[in-house]
Amino acid sequence: MAERAAPVGVMDSGVGGLSVLAEIQRLLPNESLLYVADSGHVPYGEKSPDYIRQRLRHIAGFFHAQGAKAMVLACNTATVAAVADLRELYPNWPLVGMEPAVKPAAAATRSGVVGVLATTGTLQSAKFAALLDRFANDVQVITQPCPGLVERIEAGDLDSPQLRQLLHGYVRPLLDAGCDTLILGCTHYPFLRPLLASMVPADVAIIDTGAAVARQLQRLLAARDLLAEGPARDTAFWTSAEPQSLNDVLPLLWGRADRVLPFPL
Ligand code: DGL
């Protein structure tokens, strides 16, 4: 029986999930959080679903061993590849996955054209196809894989000329096609929101799902009477890459430096 004071495990292929971690901490400040950046295996977007499932089994096992009362897959690519597998393995453990915000975008668009920026793995998945079937019948959805963005963000680059050029090349065709709503379908991309906003007309909406994931975690914990009463312990960070590399980008992406431990590969 998990206790209310037990931590919540949050993972991503790298630093992208920090954009979700921030939303969780904002909404649920009493929760103690564990964060695993699988940066030794990033990008997931170009890996096979089988490879990602193996990584997620390993990370879920780690959180379980740490006594986590719930796990958040703060990664769209990991969710499409592995959430069903983890739900089978841990049927009684609250698991929160995430998917591109197609439903709210379809409701919000006025031009009837929506653009999705995401990884190749997410856009090619059956789960994403099912999402479009379910929610995007009345709108045109244009998908744009964005190889290269994740690596830049992992290195703490949110604004270099090379990054601008790369992002511009991905966004231009979506605007030319009449998109008035852009979905950030990868948790790394919210870190590019200021840059992206500077490239698109002011009436183009940019949406992501970090806040919705935090609310879903809140619902799942509340339903099991597992919401923490606080105070939260310090967030613990692990990475499967060199700890110093996460340490270097934490002040930029998380707002402060924190102790980072090596994740047992
Ligand atoms: N942050 C991840 C996502 O939400 C994937 C990035 C990657 O490793 O390719 O899809």
Side-chain angles (χ1 to χ4, degrees):
M1 187 55 188
E3 329 148 31
R4 295 184 192 136
V8 174
V10 181
M11 67 71 57
D12 178 49
S13 61
V15 297
L18 295 171
S19 66
V20 180
L21 195 71
E23 298 289 353
I24 294 172
Q25 202 169 57
R26 215 185 327 272
L27 184 70
L28 301 168
N30 290 335
E31 299 297 336
S32 300
L33 304 172
L34 314 177
Y35 186 85
V36 168
D38 200 12
S39 300
H41 298 262
V42 74
Y44 278 5
E46 314 297 319
K47 305 277 192 312
S48 73
D50 200 46
Y51 183 94
I52 297 169
R53 273 192 291 278
Q54 294 313 319
R55 292 307 303 158
L56 266 288
R57 282 184 177 211
H58 185 53
I59 296 166
F62 174 78
F63 283 146
H64 216 251
Q66 296 282 324
K69 63 184 174 184
M71 173 173 175
V72 178
L73 281 67
C75 177
N76 295 264
T77 315
T79 301
V80 297
V83 76
D85 181 56
L86 294 184
R87 289 208 162 107
E88 256 181 53
L89 278 173
Y90 300 101
N92 299 316
W93 199 31
L95 285 170
V96 182
M98 60 193 301
E99 56 194 16
V102 172
K103 187 181 174 192
T109 178
R110 286 153 289 114
S111 69
V113 192
V114 166
V116 188
L117 300 154
T119 66
T120 309
T122 295
L123 297 175
Q124 283 180 349
S125 68
K127 210 165 156 56
F128 181 69
L131 188 67
L132 293 186
D133 268 355
R134 185 143 174 241
F135 296 116
N137 286 319
D138 300 325
V139 298
Q140 189 188 350
V141 175
I142 303 179
T143 58
Q144 177 64 64
C146 304
L149 290 187
V150 163
E151 291 88 331
R152 292 259 157 208
I153 298 161
E154 285 289 313
D157 173 9
L158 306 183
D159 196 22
S160 70
Q162 296 88 330
L163 174 66
R164 277 170 186 269
Q165 198 181 8
L166 194 59
L167 185 60
H168 193 262
Y170 292 144
V171 172
R172 193 69 254 167
L174 300 178
L175 297 178
D176 289 346
C179 294
D180 69 351
T181 308
L182 298 178
I183 299 172
L184 305 182
C186 167
T187 54
H188 282 73
Y189 304 165
F191 290 115
L192 300 183
R193 192 183 267 269
L195 181 59
L196 184 58
S198 74
M199 286 179 184
V200 304
D203 59 352
V204 170
I206 302 169
I207 49 184
D208 71 79
T209 30
V213 167
R215 289 194 297 273
Q216 175 64 1
L217 174 64
Q218 184 182 41
R219 275 191 290 271
L220 286 187
L221 293 179
R224 290 167 170 79
D225 194 19
L226 281 177
L227 283 168
E229 281 143 350
R233 293 186 290 283
D234 284 348
T235 303
F237 292 91
W238 286 265
T239 177
S240 56
E242 186 49 48
Q244 191 55 45
S245 57
L246 181 54
N247 248 310
D248 288 345
V249 294
L250 272 183
L252 177 70
L253 303 179
W254 179 243
R256 62 173 186 272
D258 260 303
R259 201 156 87 92
V260 179
L261 298 167
F263 181 70
L265 298 173

